[in-house]
Amino acid sequence: METCNFSIIFYKMRYHLLLLSAILLAYSCRTQSHSKTLGKQEQEYIQQTKEFIQYIRTIEYPKDTILLVDKPNMKELNKCIPELLFDTTLLTIIERNIIRSQVSTPLLNNWETTLVDKVRIISRDSVNAIFNDKYRWWNYFYKHYGKGFSSYSAPIFLRNYTLCLFYWDHSCGGLCGGGQVTLFKKEHNTWKPFRTFCNWIS
C-alpha cells in the first residue's frame, strides 16, 4: 500500500514538474521573441539615425572634424515644444505624444564616433565644468579643445522614418553660436528641411 502511494506521489510530482517546465519554456520563448522584436526596432532606429546624421554632416561644417557633446541635447528641444506644437495642423495627436515621450525619454543615450563621421566626442560633464568656472570659460576651451563645439538632440522619427525632428547647435564663443529645431522631410530618399523652429543666434 505504501509503495503504491509512493508511486502515485512520484508520478504526480513528475507530472507537475513537466507542466512547470513546459510553462517556463513557453514563457522563455515568448520573452526571447519579444527581445528580438525590440532589438530589430533599436537596430532600425540606429541605422536610420546614422543615415540621417550623414545628411546633417553634409550641411554642417562638412569638411571639418567637429567636437560633439556626448549627451543628446533634449533640453533645448523641450523648450521649443510650445512653438513646435502651436500649429495643430502640422502633426497628429499621436505624433505630438510621441514627441513629448521621446523628448523626456530619448531613444539615444549617447553620441559615439560610430554614429557620426569626422567627429571627436566631449562629455557634457566636461563642458559644464569648463563653462561653470568663470576662470576657465572660453579661453581654457580654445586652448585645450579648439574653436567650438556642437550638440545634437536624439532624432525623433515619425511616419515610418519619413519625418525627423532634430535640434542642433554650434557654440564658438560668448557671443558666437547658433542653433535651431528643424522638422525634416524625406523625399526620394533624401532628407530636406521642411519647417524650422526656435532659431537662435549670438
Side-chain angles (χ1 to χ4, degrees), residues 7-175:
S7 297
I8 292 170
I9 291 169
F10 174 76
Y11 283 113
K12 281 185 176 179
M13 286 178 61
R14 186 176 171 189
Y15 170 77
H16 287 301
L17 283 171
L18 286 171
L19 183 62
L20 181 61
S21 298
I23 291 169
L24 289 172
L25 181 62
Y27 178 78
S28 173
C29 290
R30 183 180 173 188
T31 304
Q32 287 177 7
S33 174
H34 185 60
S35 297
K36 286 178 183 176
T37 303
L38 285 177
K40 287 179 182 177
Q41 290 173 348
E42 290 166 357
Q43 288 173 12
E44 178 71 3
Y45 176 81
I46 292 300
Q47 184 59 39
Q48 293 288 341
T49 294
K50 288 174 72 172
E51 291 176 10
F52 174 75
I53 294 301
Q54 283 178 357
Y55 165 75
I56 291 297
R57 290 296 289 121
T58 65
I59 59 176
E60 185 212 30
Y61 310 105
K63 294 181 180 179
D64 299 335
T65 297
I66 63 168
L67 184 65
L68 182 65
V69 177
D70 63 344
K71 298 295 181 188
N73 189 343
M74 308 310 288
K75 183 179 178 181
E76 295 300 324
L77 188 51
N78 189 46
K79 286 181 185 177
C80 193
I81 290 289
E83 182 179 330
L84 172 67
L85 301 184
F86 181 76
D87 181 355
T88 56
T89 65
L90 183 62
L91 300 164
T92 67
I93 293 173
I94 292 174
E95 289 167 344
R96 290 159 173 255
N97 289 335
I98 290 171
I99 290 168
R100 289 190 186 99
S101 173
Q102 290 193 30
V103 165
S104 61
T105 310
L107 298 183
L108 184 73
N109 295 318
N110 287 288
W111 285 108
E112 299 173 358
T113 55
T114 55
L115 294 172
V116 188
D117 291 335
K118 298 176 74 174
V119 67
R120 291 184 298 129
I121 302 294
I122 184 172
S123 73
R124 172 63 67 186
D125 290 341
S126 296
V127 172
N128 290 341
I130 293 167
F131 293 103
N132 288 336
D133 183 347
K134 64 181 181 180
Y135 296 107
R136 297 168 82 185
W137 219 52
W138 278 105
N139 286 336
Y140 180 91
F141 185 90
Y142 294 144
K143 182 177 179 181
H144 292 87
Y145 292 96
K147 296 177 181 179
F149 65 92
S150 298
S151 72
Y152 295 165
S153 72
I156 298 176
F157 294 105
L158 303 165
R159 300 182 194 177
N160 196 26
Y161 295 99
T162 59
L163 288 182
C164 181
L165 186 66
F166 185 68
Y167 170 82
W168 82 103
D169 64 28
H170 182 74
S171 300
C172 45
L175 292 173

